[in-house]
Amino acid sequence: MPKVLVSDPIAEVGIAPLRAIPGVQVDVKLGLTAEELKSIIGDYDALAVRSETKVTADILSAADKLQIIGRAGVGVDNIDVAAATQKGVVVVNSPDGNTLAAAELTVGLLLALARKIPQGDATMRAGKWDRKKFVGTEICGKTIGIVGLGRIGASVAQRLKGFEVELIAYNPYVPEETTRRIGVEPVSLDDLLRRSDFITLHTPLNDETRGLIGAPQFEIMKDGVRLVNVARGGIVDEQALAEAVKSGKVGGFAFDVFSKEPPDPSNPLLDLPNSVITPHLGASTEEAQIKVAIDVAEQIADVLQGRPARTAVNLPALSVAEMEAVAPYLILGSKIGSLHTQLARDEVQHGRPIDAVEVVFNGDFGGMPSGPVTRAVLRGLMTPVAAGAVNLVNAPYLTETRGIKVVEAHREAVEDHTCLLSVHAHLPGGNRTICGTVYDGEPHIVHIDGYHVDIPPEGNMVITQHTDRPGIIGRIGTLFGDNQINIAGMHVGREASGGRAIMVLMVDDTVPPELITQIKEIPGMERAQLVTL
């Protein structure tokens, strides 16, 4: 019975899709310590979190059954994605669910900061009437700099257009034409800092953005600039900001996030005037909570039922149409990879493993994404030799740790096949090529080392390489008959009459090692191996 652990507060309507799966057990256990989570995580197939639970490498080391971690929100900085990838655990988020909530909060904080709304409210509640004390500024006509023009940043830009402001943005990963198309001027970070009256941050927290705004950046900003951060704590150096506020360089700030949450009482930002601070409310709307919870729950349900996740952060994202197109090639790639490793078993056992793989897409695959297929090849390659579970998530990592070089290439179509997946394995003792294609929606292996075959890649097979001479096929058939093993199908490919040949026998039962030994003793037989696909 698959088990799902929900360790952070998630809307019950979002948990419902998980409870609806027949045979799935859903446990809601909030407020777990790291030690408590580590002690029970080995029992679960899926984990649903928000931002409170820290999924560390230490916790993941005990997660032997875990297939997926679902983060009900955008950021995954509370999850060690690298460790999850090595473990073969899919990490998904909900990048769209709280976009509107975060964008609307950004605009709200910007207006509250400009018009000193919280301070006016506080004095009114204290029985005062200080109209002159809270003279604010209009944002109309001002320059607003947006750092990070992803979903939320672009949504903020869209909402600010009605205020008749000048919008500039810094995002080195968004093409300039895309930025201009949404009505925003693309600029460098330094240019943005120099020109902006208001700066709003919308980047993830990573090695590139940690401390992005510090003392050197404050130096080149306009005097009286105002800062809004609804992204992640740690993007701004909080001590440097405090000093910039005290010196008058920064006219105010509105922060929803902090480097440590909840912030220590000693945090210098808590007691500064001209500021608005909120307790990480970016996704805290009823609508957003429902949307992200449902989104993540549906993805967990998909993975537990053998379907792909829509927004995996450690897997290539695929649309429904792309997944339909690529699905049979995922099977084909995995089978070819597995066949390569099994045929190279003798070399592997004698310390001469596969040291490089070239995955070639011959022909027009109609825009089908090739990355997942290459991952599938690597999954098949690693599955027969890896100690633990191998999937599309950790297959590249496992391949890399074994020192196997991987190359992906796209080439013109070959004769007889519009689309052909060719996988070349390089071994110290020689190279091997296995090719396959898909027709009528079914995968087929059509070439092994240049010999033409046509086999569905499934079940038990005996693959031989021998000299093409009369009597060999009959001898093998007799051996199988004497051992009560039924031959379900046979394919023979040869260079020429009397030359070298390859034979693939599909059998209904497992072939004992002693029978393989007898086949190898047939005159003219070069090799014989049992493989299971």
Side-chain angles (χ1 to χ4, degrees):
M1 174 187 294
K3 296 176 66 176
V4 180
L5 174 62
V6 179
S7 62
D8 287 337
I10 292 178
E12 179 59 34
V13 67
I15 302 176
L18 298 174
R19 299 191 191 278
I21 305 174
V24 170
Q25 175 182 327
V26 179
D27 296 335
V28 179
K29 298 183 180 181
L30 309 181
L32 294 171
T33 66
E35 292 75 16
E36 290 171 335
L37 179 58
K38 182 179 180 180
S39 69
I40 64 173
I41 193 64
D43 296 330
Y44 289 93
D45 303 270
L47 173 65
V49 303
R50 288 189 63 198
S51 58
E52 290 87 345
T53 298
K54 311 302 179 188
V55 189
T56 64
D58 184 50
I59 289 171
L60 285 164
S61 68
D64 294 332
K65 291 177 57 182
L66 202 63
Q67 299 179 47
I68 179 171
I69 301 169
R71 163 70 164 94
V74 179
V76 291
D77 43 285
N78 59 314
I79 300 169
D80 191 327
V81 177
T85 300
Q86 294 176 18
K87 193 78 174 178
V89 179
V90 180
V91 179
V92 303
N93 65 350
S94 180
D96 297 318
N98 62 7
T99 297
L100 292 179
E104 289 181 358
L105 179 63
T106 299
V107 176
L109 287 178
L110 192 151
L111 292 171
L113 178 62
R115 298 304 303 271
K116 302 182 180 180
I117 295 171
Q119 293 86 346
D121 176 81
T123 57
M124 283 289 291
R125 296 180 186 278
K128 300 178 182 179
W129 185 263
D130 292 329
R131 292 183 64 192
K132 295 181 180 179
K133 187 177 180 180
F134 300 116
V135 176
T137 185
E138 296 176 4
I139 66 171
C140 179
K142 301 297 192 301
T143 298
I144 299 181
I146 302 173
V147 180
L149 202 63
R151 293 179 178 88
I152 297 175
S155 186
V156 168
Q158 183 181 10
R159 280 149 184 77
L160 288 175
K161 287 179 183 177
F163 288 92
E164 299 178 26
V165 299
E166 179 186 8
L167 293 171
I168 61 178
Y170 167 71
N171 191 327
Y173 304 107
V174 175
E176 288 192 7
E177 58 270 23
T178 302
T179 302
R180 295 187 188 280
R181 191 162 56 244
I182 62 176
V184 181
E185 178 188 354
V187 296
S188 68
L189 179 59
D190 283 356
D191 193 21
L192 182 147
L193 299 176
R194 291 189 180 97
R195 292 172 53 185
S196 298
D197 299 294
F198 291 84
I199 297 172
T200 178
L201 306 175
H202 302 286
T203 72
L205 180 65
N206 52 39
D207 291 340
E208 185 178 357
T209 62
R210 186 173 285 103
L212 182 68
I213 307 297
Q217 288 72 38
F218 288 121
E219 282 295 322
I220 64 176
M221 293 180 188
K222 283 184 177 182
D223 291 342
V225 66
R226 293 172 173 86
L227 226 62
V228 180
N229 187 7
V230 184
R232 280 291 181 269
I235 297 172
V236 178
D237 183 328
E238 293 172 349
Q239 185 61 49
L241 173 59
E243 293 172 1
V245 171
K246 291 175 183 177
S247 71
K249 181 68 177 182
V250 172
F253 65 90
F255 272 32
D256 184 50
V257 290
F258 300 87
S259 57
K260 180 181 178 182
E261 296 182 353
D264 289 330
S266 60
N267 189 304
L269 301 186
L270 300 183
D271 298 322
L272 293 174
N274 304 326
S275 66
V276 183
I277 53 177
T278 50
H280 205 144
L281 302 178
S284 295
T285 66
E286 293 180 4
E287 295 86 352
Q289 293 301 297
I290 291 172
K291 282 187 282 190
V292 298
I294 291 176
D295 185 17
V296 166
E298 288 178 345
Q299 292 191 75
I300 291 175
D302 283 340
V303 170
L304 292 181
Q305 295 177 94
R307 297 187 294 269
R310 295 188 299 274
T311 59
V313 301
N314 54 351
L315 273 178
L318 297 176
S319 67
V320 174
E322 288 174 329
M323 190 60 214
E324 290 178 353
V326 82
Y329 285 96
L330 294 180
I331 297 171
L332 177 63
S334 184
K335 298 293 188 177
I336 289 178
S338 177
L339 182 56
H340 263 300
T341 296
Q342 292 185 68
L343 290 179
R345 187 179 291 118
D346 291 342
E347 289 91 338
V348 171
Q349 288 175 347
H350 289 87
R352 299 186 299 274
I354 295 170
D355 54 27
V357 173
E358 184 180 15
V359 182
V360 180
F361 295 81
N362 297 102
D364 181 9
F365 283 76
M368 183 190 78
S370 57
V373 179
T374 298
R375 284 175 175 256
V377 171
L378 302 183
R379 175 179 63 185
L381 203 72
M382 290 292 99
T383 297
V385 294
V390 183
N391 55 29
L392 296 183
V393 177
N394 64 353
Y397 167 78
L398 294 173
T399 307
E400 181 182 357
T401 58
R402 288 177 176 264
I404 299 175
K405 181 181 178 181
V406 180
V407 176
E408 181 181 301
H410 296 259
R411 297 177 185 152
E412 295 181 353
V414 298
E415 188 178 355
D416 298 333
H417 295 285
T418 304
C419 303
L420 188 71
L421 178 65
S422 305
V423 181
H424 310 278
H426 303 275
L427 299 96
N431 301 330
R432 174 174 289 112
T433 297
I434 301 176
C435 305
T437 191
V438 172
Y439 48 86
D440 295 331
E442 297 295 330
H444 289 256
I445 292 176
V446 294
H447 290 286
I448 300 176
D449 281 338
Y451 296 99
H452 174 73
V453 295
D454 188 354
I455 56 174
E458 58 184 14
N460 297 315
M461 302 177 191
V462 173
I463 299 179
T464 71
Q465 193 162 19
H466 57 274
T467 302
D468 181 39
R469 61 172 61 171
I472 285 187
I473 294 176
R475 294 276 303 272
I476 292 175
T478 299
L479 287 173
F480 275 84
D482 292 343
N483 285 270
Q484 301 298 307
I485 294 175
N486 188 52
I487 298 175
M490 180 180 69
H491 295 267
V492 178
R494 63 182 186 174
E495 296 173 341
S497 178
R500 299 179 73 199
I502 191 171
M503 179 168 57
V504 180
L505 293 167
M506 292 172 286
V507 296
D508 291 336
D509 306 292
T510 301
V511 179
E514 54 270 21
L515 180 53
I516 297 295
T517 300
Q518 289 179 285
I519 294 173
K520 289 179 179 179
E521 293 172 350
I522 296 174
M525 186 65 60
E526 296 178 17
R527 62 186 300 167
Q529 289 179 264
L530 172 67
V531 300
T532 301
L533 298 178

